[in-house]
């Protein structure tokens, strides 16, 4: 509590917990990637901007969160994408809501 008051007094915001921030970035990247057409169908030429932003967050927070390698980060993003593809199939409004949330907290 004292740290938060000190941060407010100094007009600074505390940095988010790297593990929580990393997991949030992985989920947001997964939901952004889930909007792409399934494999085997024509893919858009550009990589989704939201996914790129969250990939950069994952890369910067990954080492502090215990996920330092690109392979670990890619595996996390792939797992999240698979989950959000299921969400898209059964509850597309939930996917849209998550993507809206991710855009709202995007750095």
């Amino acid at each position: 509590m004292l740290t938060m008051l000190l941060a407010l007094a100094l007009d600074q915001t505390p940095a988010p917990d790297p593990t929580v921030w990393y997991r949030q970035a992985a989920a947001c990247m997964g939901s952004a990637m889930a909007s792409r057409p399934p494999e085997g169908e024509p893919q858009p030429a550009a990589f989704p901007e939201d996914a790129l932003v969250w990939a950069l967050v994952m890369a910067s927070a990954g080492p502090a969160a215990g996920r330092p390698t690109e392979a670990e980060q890619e595996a996390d993003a792939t797992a999240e994408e698979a989950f959000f593809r299921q969400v898209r199939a059964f509850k597309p409004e939930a996917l849209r809501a998550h993507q809206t949330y991710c855009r709202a907290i995007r750095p």
Side-chain angles (χ1 to χ4, degrees):
M1 180 72 167
L2 183 58
T3 305
M4 186 179 348
L5 290 174
L6 184 58
L8 288 173
L10 296 175
D11 196 30
Q12 297 176 350
T13 56
D17 177 335
T19 302
V20 173
W21 189 229
Y22 174 82
R23 290 293 169 195
Q24 184 62 64
C28 288
M29 176 152 177
S31 72
M33 297 298 287
S35 293
R36 295 182 315 158
E39 267 189 51
E41 292 184 16
Q43 298 293 320
F47 195 72
E49 179 184 338
D50 287 335
L52 180 59
V53 168
W54 291 113
L56 293 171
V57 171
M58 288 176 69
S60 67
R67 306 298 284 172
T69 68
E70 188 176 325
E72 290 171 320
Q73 294 171 17
E74 185 175 342
D76 292 340
T78 300
E80 293 290 344
E81 180 181 358
F83 170 75
F84 281 105
R85 283 192 180 279
Q86 290 294 311
V87 170
R88 182 177 89 176
F90 296 103
K91 290 280 195 176
E93 67 278 1
L95 176 63
R96 286 190 300 276
H98 188 262
Q99 291 170 336
T100 300
Y101 163 75
C102 289
R103 280 188 210 101
I105 66 165
R106 194 172 99 168

